[in-house]
Amino acid sequence: MQKSDRTHFIISPGKLRRKDNNIYFDRYDEDGQVVQTKILPINAIDEIYLLARVEVDSYTIAFLADNNILLHIFSPYQSFRGNFYPNTPNSVNKSGFVLLQQVRAFDDPKQRLYIAKAVTEGQIRNGAYNCNRRDIAFDEAPYMEALEKANSISEVMAVEGSFKKSYYQAWNKIIKNQRSFKFTTRSKRPPADKINAMISYINTRIYNVVLSEIYKTELDPRIGFLHEPNYRTLSLHLDIAEIFKPVIGDNLIFTLLNREQITTKSFKTDAGRIRFTNEAIQTIEIEMIKKLTDQIKIGEQRLTWRQVIRREINHLKRCICEYDSYQPFIQSEPK
């Protein structure tokens, strides 16, 4: 397995520290005493997810940066809080030419609209495919027609919003346990119910996987095309993730719920907020890792889903830098 397929998840309180040329995690008990120490071999890790109260000192962070390891940080309620994004001489993202071309593409209304439409097309077609392959009729044509007519980013976003409303309602025909996981409306920050908590957590995981793959290319994650760049957040990974959330994230949700790997017992409520149990997080992450390391055939190649995502990012890079056409990844039945 390549290093780019390795992640590590910390879901217990403790301390992350450097010792010699490796990273160690000291797990704490309820009294703050070390009860277990685990080595995290630096050459076997690509990114670390902190899903608990974890101490990290600047010496350790500098060591992670030198080894191009990303940190993804979550709150105690499993809501995403931010990334530590290395910026060292070892980093890939150092091309001034690519940065300039990306800014020019964003500033060109025609090219920005072209890319935003392509991203949204991928989202619509992949979502519709999820329904149709399960014999649940979903007509993508009205959304594609509206997308073709859109003349601005706001109009593209309106098409996307209309599609998502219908698509999420179709989930009630896919998810078997309608008593506990019936979708009514999308809610965030915080999620209002269990199905929304699951969507938010798994979507965040897709965002972070895409961000990690962008980091391995020369594109700048701060400059998106469908999602507006701003002072606080990165945006390009949000664009690319729209293509892959239906393919990876939504299908994972359907599988976990319909196989009853995640049930109502997988959640608990703290201070009125819904979150997963540690056991549920482990279940989700095992299945997520399996999915990301699965291989599919594209042309003559067999690629993992991480490699498919990176391939997509490089296609976008060629569109931006070499003015190639850009067609989003669309899932289809294997030939």
Side-chain angles (χ1 to χ4, degrees):
M1 186 183 294
Q2 297 178 352
K3 180 183 174 184
S4 60
D5 290 329
R6 300 289 184 94
T7 58
H8 189 82
F9 302 89
I10 298 177
I11 60 175
S12 301
K15 181 176 182 178
L16 201 63
R17 59 183 173 86
R18 174 187 177 178
K19 181 180 178 183
D20 301 323
N21 286 315
N22 272 314
I23 294 293
Y24 289 77
F25 176 65
D26 299 323
R27 185 167 70 86
Y28 295 164
D29 61 15
E30 294 181 355
D31 297 322
Q33 301 299 311
V34 176
V35 294
Q36 182 187 33
T37 295
K38 181 178 181 180
I39 186 171
L40 312 181
I42 198 71
N43 292 325
I45 298 174
D46 187 65
E47 51 192 347
I48 298 174
Y49 290 77
L50 302 182
L51 291 132
R53 188 178 71 255
V54 177
E55 300 173 17
V56 189
D57 59 46
S58 59
Y59 183 62
T60 301
I61 289 177
F63 183 61
L64 294 174
D66 288 339
N67 286 275
N68 285 323
I69 294 175
L70 280 73
L71 279 178
H72 304 291
I73 302 166
F74 291 72
S75 78
Y77 301 100
Q78 291 133 17
S79 55
F80 179 63
R81 285 295 175 261
N83 308 91
F84 169 68
Y85 187 77
N87 183 19
T88 69
N90 296 327
S91 301
V92 175
N93 189 17
K94 293 295 182 181
S95 171
F97 169 76
V98 174
L99 176 60
L100 287 173
Q101 289 296 99
Q102 195 173 345
V103 172
R104 287 166 182 153
F106 175 82
D107 281 339
D108 182 339
K110 184 176 180 181
Q111 192 173 11
R112 182 185 176 190
L113 185 62
Y114 172 78
I115 294 171
K117 283 187 173 185
V119 166
T120 306
E121 176 187 353
Q123 178 184 179
I124 292 171
R125 292 197 186 279
N126 287 327
Y129 179 85
N130 282 348
C131 297
N132 293 325
R133 71 186 286 259
R134 294 174 170 86
D135 297 322
I136 296 166
F138 190 98
D139 187 7
E140 67 186 54
Y143 305 103
M144 293 306 302
E145 290 170 6
L147 183 63
E148 185 176 355
K149 295 176 182 177
N151 291 314
S152 67
I153 299 298
S154 61
E155 290 179 7
V156 172
M157 295 289 283
V159 174
E160 180 195 40
S162 178
F163 159 74
K164 281 184 174 178
K165 184 177 181 180
S166 298
Y167 173 57
Y168 279 133
Q169 289 301 322
W171 282 30
N172 292 329
K173 298 178 182 178
I174 298 175
I175 297 170
K176 296 176 183 177
N177 185 353
Q178 284 294 287
R179 187 170 186 174
S180 301
F181 296 100
K182 183 179 178 64
F183 183 88
T184 53
T185 188
R186 185 74 177 103
S187 61
K188 313 174 187 178
R189 305 183 189 91
D193 52 31
K194 295 178 180 65
I195 188 66
N196 274 287
M198 197 163 186
I199 293 170
S200 291
Y201 179 76
I202 290 183
N203 280 356
T204 298
R205 288 288 286 108
I206 303 297
Y207 294 143
N208 286 324
V209 168
V210 173
L211 180 62
S212 297
E213 296 308 310
I214 291 174
Y215 176 72
K216 297 163 193 168
T217 74
E218 294 173 317
L219 288 178
D220 193 308
R222 294 171 295 180
I223 304 169
F225 298 90
L226 177 64
H227 294 86
E228 192 80 24
N230 59 45
Y231 287 106
R232 295 187 302 109
T233 61
L234 310 175
S235 57
L236 183 61
H237 66 308
L238 304 180
D239 288 2
I240 300 297
E242 296 298 350
I243 300 168
F244 291 98
K245 283 191 298 186
V247 182
I248 300 172
D250 296 352
N251 282 316
L252 181 60
I253 291 172
F254 303 149
T255 298
L256 288 167
L257 293 179
N258 288 341
R259 290 181 180 174
E260 296 187 348
Q261 291 172 275
I262 296 295
T263 67
T264 55
K265 295 179 180 178
S266 303
F267 300 84
K268 57 184 178 180
T269 303
D270 288 341
R273 298 186 64 174
I274 299 170
R275 68 184 183 95
F276 289 106
T277 63
N278 286 352
E279 292 77 13
I281 290 290
Q282 290 175 333
T283 297
I284 292 170
E285 293 307 336
I286 287 170
E287 295 302 320
M288 177 70 77
I289 291 170
K290 286 180 182 177
K291 180 66 176 178
L292 291 172
T293 53
D294 279 348
Q295 292 187 338
I296 64 167
K297 189 173 182 181
I298 299 182
E300 298 302 316
Q301 293 181 303
R302 295 198 65 83
L303 304 174
T304 67
W305 279 108
R306 276 189 177 273
Q307 291 169 329
V308 173
I309 292 170
R310 200 182 319 165
R311 174 180 178 268
E312 188 76 11
I313 296 163
N314 282 319
H315 282 176
L316 178 59
K317 176 186 166 185
R318 285 195 292 274
C319 171
I320 292 169
C321 295
E322 302 172 20
Y323 304 102
D324 280 356
S325 62
Y326 173 53
Q327 299 297 320
F329 173 83
I330 307 293
Q331 57 184 336
S332 61
E333 294 293 343
K335 298 180 179 178

